[in-house]
Amino acid sequence: MTNTMQITRSPIDDSVYVERELASQDIIKQALDAAVAAQRQWREESIARRAEYCLAMLQAFLDSGDEIAEQLCWMMGRPIRYAKAEVTGMVDRARHMIGIAEQSLAPIKLPDTEDFIRYIQREPLGVAFVIAPWNYPYLTAINSIIPALMAGNTVLLKHSAQTPLCAEQLARAFQVADLPAGVFQYLHLSHQDTEMIIAQPHINTVAFTGSVAGGKVVEQASSGRFITVGLELGGKDPAYVRADADIEYAVAACIEGAFFNSGQSCCGIERLYVASEIFDDFVSRAVALVNQYKLGRSDSPDTTLGPMVRTAAADFVRGQIRDAIDAGAIAHIDPANFPMDSVGTPYLAPQVLTNVNHSMRLMIEESFGPVLGIMAVANDDEAVALMNDSEFGLTACVFSRDLGAAIAIGERLETGTFFLNRCDYLDPALAWTGVKNSGRGCTLSALGYERLTRPKSFHLKLPA
């Protein structure tokens, strides 16, 4: 018998969009047992055969792209004009990881000696438990799902309660691809049962994307088990625009990086530092661009800025803005220009603030919303000091025409990814990782496969 119902309310109109029963203890046990049993056969499949299943899944997923985009729009508020891009983006990312699997998982061969053959083999860990968030529900989940499967692990997915249909769409696509039973499964779970599953001996690795508080719970649940735990916990990502930057390009990139997805991106721009020589010009251009956004229902094709995921999230950002203004910050956007903005709803007008500093919550707490604080800086040293003044370290970016100066800055920054002249982007050929409270571990790239396998050394003495 199930414990209770899981209810997903749409940020569009607060209507109940999805209702699902949470998995019972019997269903959880069956899923764990099935994952363990299936892995024994799955690990014996060739990488080429695993790729065939995964590629077939991706095609089935693409075939349902319009339906998936509409569900994203209603579940988490992504404007419908942008929702389909997550479908194609996920497929492209997954195909890259499938394409590099053979090379990434190949044995490491050492030079033979007269009497010995030596090599290191990569072996799957077993069952991977993936805990995925709502903000980029497919892109984040696929970072772990496809590499885990390609490495010979089976996968159990727990998706956010805000986006449960994402787990079901992935399962449906794998079913169309005829993936063997038990290799990929999902469960709708309570927080308590999620913690319980992490502690089970069936689970050999955990991939969690979410808040710092959630990451701490995952670590505690896995304590003493000595399993691999990957944590991607968000950020307060900074950008620095040098005086030599292409200012028109930098404004467009930074504003999109700050406000796309209503600012609900772990690698979105949340702090902006601009060389004092161009500060006023930059702010003027940025404000003009932000005022062009259209806040509205995410199911409207005209909307470019949708609602936040829930009212509580919008209220948190409203509180940050209010506190900053009370402390002397200057707000440059009139909410009256965005008629849908309304207290007590998830509809929140974008905001740009200046005269901010690091004593304000706005500049140190993760906002995860459509707000951007901009500070003037005198030089590179001041910019680097401010960019590093954070408990987070996921991404950081610089806009400059001077490649050498930018790289020198990047080498001083405490971050997982450094960008030059771009931001808020994930290249699957590069390692996706963070430092400090942005988490630990690595997904994507060839290095991402290392977290999902264990090395096994072969030291073979030849017969006399």
Side-chain angles (χ1 to χ4, degrees):
M1 185 174 182
T2 55
N3 299 321
T4 186
M5 296 295 293
Q6 174 177 282
I7 298 174
T8 302
R9 291 188 174 276
S10 173
I12 292 178
D13 57 7
D14 199 39
S15 62
V16 175
Y17 186 65
V18 185
E19 289 184 273
R20 291 291 185 270
E21 291 183 340
L22 295 180
S24 67
Q25 295 303 306
D26 285 344
I27 290 175
I28 291 172
K29 183 179 185 306
Q30 291 170 15
L32 290 170
D33 289 344
V36 172
Q39 202 270 329
R40 298 189 187 103
Q41 282 74 46
W42 182 247
R43 64 176 293 155
E44 300 303 322
E45 291 279 10
S46 68
I47 294 175
R49 183 61 177 141
R50 295 173 202 160
E52 290 176 5
Y53 283 115
C54 290
L55 290 170
M57 181 281 286
L58 295 177
Q59 185 57 56
F61 187 81
L62 273 177
D63 292 342
S64 299
D66 291 339
E67 177 185 64
I68 292 168
E70 183 178 359
Q71 290 174 352
L72 281 177
C73 169
W74 278 88
M75 285 189 295
M76 48 78 62
R78 177 82 50 76
I80 191 63
R81 66 193 295 163
Y82 304 130
K84 187 71 173 289
E86 178 150 354
V87 175
T88 55
M90 188 210 84
V91 170
D92 289 344
R93 186 177 297 180
R95 284 176 174 161
H96 175 84
M97 293 307 293
I98 293 168
I100 67 170
E102 191 85 47
Q103 181 178 357
S104 301
L105 296 167
I108 300 171
K109 296 182 178 180
L110 303 175
D112 295 339
T113 65
E114 184 177 347
D115 297 323
F116 293 94
I117 297 174
R118 300 170 299 161
Y119 57 94
I120 304 168
Q121 192 164 285
R122 307 296 314 184
E123 294 196 342
L125 297 176
V127 179
F129 187 31
V130 178
I131 307 170
W134 54 265
N135 63 320
Y136 284 91
Y138 290 110
L139 286 170
T140 51
I142 213 67
N143 289 357
S144 298
I145 292 171
I146 288 294
L149 293 175
M150 290 301 300
N153 303 289
T154 52
V155 171
L156 182 63
L157 172 64
K158 186 273 182 204
H159 222 298
S160 167
Q162 190 65 37
T163 47
L165 297 183
C166 295
E168 296 178 14
Q169 287 284 3
L170 288 167
R172 186 176 297 116
F174 275 121
Q175 186 177 25
V176 171
D178 291 325
L179 189 74
V183 173
F184 175 86
Q185 302 172 88
Y186 73 89
L187 292 172
H188 298 311
L189 297 166
S190 67
H191 291 307
Q192 182 179 1
D193 283 339
T194 301
E195 293 176 48
M196 179 272 292
I197 288 176
I198 294 171
Q200 296 302 304
H202 304 72
I203 300 299
N204 306 106
T205 181
V206 177
F208 171 82
T209 304
S211 67
V212 173
K216 290 179 179 178
V217 172
V218 170
E219 277 209 325
Q220 291 167 359
S222 64
S223 178
R225 294 213 50 230
F226 311 119
I227 61 174
T228 303
V229 177
L231 303 172
E232 201 269 84
L233 307 179
K236 187 74 178 174
D237 291 6
Y240 169 37
V241 182
R242 300 180 81 235
D244 67 342
D246 179 336
I247 189 168
E248 183 177 2
Y249 173 83
V251 168
C254 289
I255 294 306
E256 181 179 18
F259 293 99
F260 186 79
N261 206 39
S262 298
Q264 298 168 128
S265 173
C266 57
C267 59
I269 299 302
E270 294 208 0
R271 302 177 285 141
L272 184 54
Y273 307 98
V274 179
S276 57
E277 304 97 301
I278 62 170
F279 182 80
D280 291 340
D281 187 17
F282 186 97
V283 171
S284 176
R285 293 170 184 251
V287 170
L289 188 56
V290 172
N291 273 318
Q292 294 178 25
Y293 279 100
K294 182 174 177 56
L295 175 65
R297 289 173 57 113
S298 50
D299 60 339
S300 168
D302 296 328
T303 294
T304 57
L305 189 74
M308 293 189 67
V309 68
R310 60 181 66 90
T311 298
D315 286 344
F316 177 81
V317 178
R318 289 186 178 103
Q320 285 187 327
I321 295 171
R322 182 178 60 251
D323 289 353
I325 293 173
D326 288 346
I330 299 171
H332 291 266
I333 305 296
D334 184 354
N337 295 335
F338 299 85
M340 284 289 289
D341 177 274
S342 180
V343 175
T345 77
Y347 290 89
L348 175 63
Q351 188 55 268
V352 173
L353 298 109
T354 58
N355 202 36
V356 294
N357 58 64
H358 282 213
S359 70
M360 299 174 180
R361 294 170 53 211
L362 176 79
M363 297 300 286
I364 58 174
E365 291 179 345
E366 186 173 24
S367 300
F368 223 61
V371 61
L372 180 63
I374 310 179
M375 291 178 63
V377 293
N379 51 48
D380 293 346
D381 288 340
E382 183 181 9
V384 169
L386 289 168
M387 294 171 85
N388 284 339
D389 183 27
S390 175
E391 67 177 284
F392 297 102
L394 186 59
T395 78
C397 63
V398 168
F399 289 82
S400 173
R401 289 185 171 96
D402 189 330
L403 178 62
I407 292 174
I409 292 170
E411 290 175 345
R412 297 167 62 191
L413 293 176
E414 299 163 355
T415 187
T417 296
F418 171 69
F419 296 109
L420 173 61
N421 296 328
R422 79 174 312 168
C423 58
D424 191 26
Y425 182 79
L426 194 158
D427 183 341
L430 295 171
W432 188 244
T433 185
V435 299
K436 299 189 279 191
N437 278 357
S438 285
R440 71 158 189 260
C442 168
T443 57
L444 301 178
S445 78
L447 299 181
Y449 277 106
E450 293 184 6
R451 195 187 67 81
L452 295 163
T453 56
R454 65 173 64 87
K456 184 174 183 179
S457 295
F458 284 74
H459 193 176
L460 312 177
K461 182 175 174 59
L462 299 174

